[in-house]
Amino acid sequence: MLGRVLLLLALAKTACPSPASVASRRAEALKKLLEVFGMEDPPAPPAHFKQPPQYMVDLFNTVANADGVTKNPDILEGNTVRSFLDRTHSEEMRFLFVLSSVAKNEKILTAELHLFRLWPRVTDGPKRQHFCQVSVYQVLEKDKPDTPGGKKLLAARLVSLQTSGWEVFAITPAVRDWTEDESSNQGLLVTVQGPGGSPLDPPPLQFASSRGHHESKKPMLVLFTDDGRRGASLPTAGFPGGSRMPGMAPRSRSTRSLDRLQPCQRHPLSVDFEEIGWSGWIISPRGDNAFHCKGSCPFPLGENMRPTNHATVQSIINALKLSEGVSSPCCVPDKLYSINLLYFDDDENVVLKQYDDMVAGSCGCH
């Protein structure tokens, strides 16, 4: 499917017909490409330049190479990672994350609260603390979080006061509640106490807030989900198997003859996201090379053709004319890789999404 869409894009760019027909083919191709990516419309680029969270950039580089091709399909849990920045814009340790962009069909796997631990306040004397207890609560009563029924404990642990850096807390139950009932999202409350739960005034430990700190240190919710598309067949509406794409002229006889002379092999088939106007919302990669398979599968099929046993039998029957209507095997992808997109959604949250079966890794006669 993706290969056919990219071919249609290439055709729209190089075709000679009227500008209107070329524009129509281009629009059709872009619509089909969005369908492959599970979208109806492209997200609007951020209104102002926005730096993606470094965690999301690092995660993309861990999961994928520079072209977005997955390095190891088992690294990610699920196929979607979403990041949300705190919306309270407060210096208090109350946090609110708006999850309206999470689709109803997404299965919540893991949710993490990422807080950047600032260098602790320096205290002297025998009472100097080396650790403190950080607790994360789901707020149940917005105006009464300190009442017995006003909050629910999600995570608690001792945190060192000797360093600075990111602290990650699991808050999956709260996010599952919020996605099931949006009105239940009253945010999170974080408290800092002594190792035994004793009060500390002032608390020696502080976390960066969404107000007054650098963008790279702002509180963040990271959500790992699965939208159910993993391993599923890609949509093929509008491109029946074996048919030409809409608006594509038949290949010339000389071109078809040349294809028959070349052995089955992989050829480049790429799209530049900047060229099609998508670089404003796609962070990485800069484009996609899906590759495509082209060439002949002549009798006898050698091992270099990577034939299946079925293709070998079909090739013999075709060559010896043992049965009518049996064609020679076809040159098709025999290994497919997934790709990853890092992009801004409509709410300017950064999303990492993995799409299966998008790149032809190798070709063979089938």
Side-chain angles (χ1 to χ4, degrees):
M1 171 64 177
L2 180 59
R4 292 172 180 168
V5 172
L6 299 186
L7 280 172
L8 186 52
L9 277 171
L11 175 69
K13 182 174 68 173
T14 60
C16 298
S18 68
S21 62
V22 172
S24 176
R25 278 196 288 268
R26 178 185 174 89
E28 181 181 5
L30 292 178
K31 180 180 178 181
K32 293 294 182 184
L33 189 54
L34 283 172
E35 289 179 7
V36 172
F37 292 142
M39 304 175 185
E40 292 185 6
D41 299 296
H48 306 285
F49 174 78
K50 193 171 183 180
Q51 192 73 28
Q54 189 61 43
Y55 173 84
M56 297 298 288
V57 174
D58 292 342
L59 183 60
F60 175 87
N61 291 332
T62 299
V63 170
N65 64 19
D67 295 324
V69 179
T70 304
K71 296 178 183 178
N72 185 336
D74 299 323
I75 294 178
L76 279 189
E77 181 184 11
N79 61 4
T80 307
V81 185
R82 298 180 180 275
S83 62
F84 305 86
L85 296 181
D86 173 47
R87 295 296 183 91
T88 62
H89 303 295
S90 168
E91 294 184 357
E92 300 178 3
M93 287 200 286
R94 292 280 297 270
F95 308 102
L96 180 68
F97 302 95
V98 178
L99 308 180
S100 56
S101 59
V102 180
K104 294 297 182 183
N105 66 327
E106 287 187 56
K107 181 181 179 182
I108 308 299
L109 301 174
T110 303
E112 299 174 344
L113 174 65
H114 291 223
L115 299 177
F116 188 84
R117 185 176 73 255
L118 301 173
W119 283 102
R121 294 188 178 96
V122 177
T123 58
D124 298 317
K127 292 186 178 181
R128 180 176 179 179
Q129 302 283 341
H130 294 283
F131 294 91
C132 62
Q133 179 175 298
V134 177
S135 302
V136 180
Y137 296 90
Q138 177 183 355
V139 177
L140 303 178
E141 297 287 342
K142 181 179 180 180
D143 300 323
K144 303 176 182 178
D146 293 324
T147 61
K151 62 180 182 291
K152 181 172 69 175
L153 181 64
L154 297 172
R157 70 164 177 270
L158 293 178
V159 174
S160 172
L161 294 176
Q162 308 302 312
T163 60
S164 69
W166 287 98
E167 293 288 340
V168 178
F169 301 90
I171 58 168
T172 308
V175 173
R176 285 178 176 160
D177 288 346
W178 300 339
T179 53
E180 290 177 5
D181 179 9
E182 189 175 343
S183 64
S184 70
N185 185 359
Q186 303 299 321
L188 300 169
L189 170 68
V190 175
T191 64
V192 177
Q193 299 172 308
S198 58
L200 297 174
D201 190 23
L205 176 65
Q206 284 188 313
F207 293 103
S209 67
S210 57
R211 181 179 177 184
H213 291 99
H214 191 268
E215 188 86 15
S216 64
K217 296 177 179 161
K218 290 184 177 181
M220 180 172 62
L221 168 64
V222 178
L223 185 57
F224 296 81
T225 70
D226 196 298
D227 63 6
R229 285 167 55 94
R230 181 176 292 277
S233 297
L234 296 177
T236 57
F239 294 113
S243 66
R244 289 187 292 107
M245 292 179 291
M248 185 173 182
R251 293 180 301 165
S252 68
R253 180 175 299 176
S254 60
T255 301
R256 292 197 299 269
S257 299
L258 183 61
D259 286 349
R260 284 197 295 268
L261 292 175
Q262 294 179 338
C264 175
Q265 56 186 308
R266 192 176 72 150
H267 297 266
L269 181 63
S270 61
V271 59
D272 186 315
F273 292 142
E274 182 174 3
E275 188 174 304
I276 62 175
W278 286 9
S279 60
W281 59 275
I282 294 182
I283 303 167
S284 291
R286 295 184 177 182
D288 177 43
N289 192 347
F291 293 97
H292 71 118
C293 298
K294 184 174 66 173
S296 63
C297 294
F299 175 82
L301 294 178
E303 287 300 319
N304 62 317
M305 299 293 180
R306 303 168 65 90
T308 61
N309 289 336
H310 179 273
T312 300
V313 173
Q314 181 175 334
S315 176
I316 294 170
I317 293 175
N318 170 264
L320 300 180
K321 308 298 182 185
L322 298 179
S323 180
E324 293 184 5
V326 176
S327 61
S328 62
C330 297
C331 179
V332 296
D334 60 1
K335 184 181 293 184
L336 293 167
Y337 298 131
S338 59
I339 66 165
N340 301 265
L341 287 188
L342 187 68
Y343 64 90
F344 290 102
D345 66 13
D346 283 319
D347 296 327
E348 298 187 4
N349 301 312
V350 175
V351 180
L352 170 62
K353 203 167 184 69
Q354 191 170 96
Y355 300 89
D356 284 352
D357 303 339
M358 296 286 277
V359 176
S362 60
C363 302
C365 292
H366 288 206

